[in-house]
Amino acid sequence: QLQLVESGGGLVQPGGSLLLSCAASGFTLDYYAMGWFRQAPGKEREGVSYISSSGGSTNYADSVKGRFTIARDNAKSTLYLQMNNLEPEDTAIYYCAAEYTGSSWYVPLLWNEYDYWGQGTQVTVSS
């Protein structure tokens, strides 16, 4: 069974930080590009950040550049998203996703390109 489980969400004040984690089970992440997506009520799912299977290539949405950092530890089968200087507009359910790419540096950028998804973790930024 291939499974992704997010954790680390919660309630934080504007300007605060959260570290999201995504743990994989049933498969190794060595050959999977990974992405973080988020969806707020009434809005479409949007990509937040992406990372290639080796970790050598990353991509960020303009709205989070300079504030969020994506990282992965394939040995621990875990994907991370460090979120700093959080804003109310960051409030959403955050999902991690995986797509098989082998050893390619290709990074899918659209949500419908990813085959495996976690259950999501709620991030709420409010004062």
Side-chain angles (χ1 to χ4, degrees), residues 17-28:
S17 299
L18 285 173
L19 175 64
L20 304 185
S21 299
C22 174
S25 62
F27 66 105
T28 177

Side-chain angles (χ1 to χ4, degrees), residues 1-123:
Q1 181 180 356
L2 283 66
Q3 188 176 30
L4 300 172
V5 180
E6 302 95 335
S7 62
L11 175 64
V12 64
Q13 293 185 336
S17 299
L18 285 173
L19 175 64
L20 304 185
S21 299
C22 174
S25 62
F27 66 105
T28 177
L29 295 184
D30 289 1
Y31 302 106
Y32 291 80
M34 304 289 294
W36 285 100
F37 297 80
R38 66 187 182 187
Q39 187 165 23
K43 299 185 67 176
E44 295 184 352
R45 190 179 311 176
E46 64 173 342
V48 176
S49 184
Y50 316 86
I51 188 167
S52 62
S53 59
S54 68
S57 180
T58 59
N59 191 290
Y60 297 91
D62 288 342
S63 60
V64 307
K65 286 181 179 178
R67 300 188 298 119
F68 291 8
T69 303
I70 191 170
R72 65 191 297 160
D73 188 338
N74 286 351
K76 296 181 178 179
S77 296
T78 303
L79 175 74
Y80 303 96
L81 184 67
Q82 178 65 54
M83 306 187 295
N84 298 323
N85 300 315
L86 284 161
E87 305 169 352
E89 293 74 19
D90 296 317
T91 296
I93 300 175
Y94 284 70
Y95 301 89
C96 69
E99 175 66 15
Y100 181 82
T101 59
S103 59
S104 173
W105 287 65
Y106 174 69
V107 181
L109 301 179
L110 301 176
W111 69 268
N112 57 7
E113 295 183 86
Y114 287 82
D115 290 328
Y116 305 99
W117 292 83
Q119 84 290 347
T121 185
Q122 178 70 50
V123 172

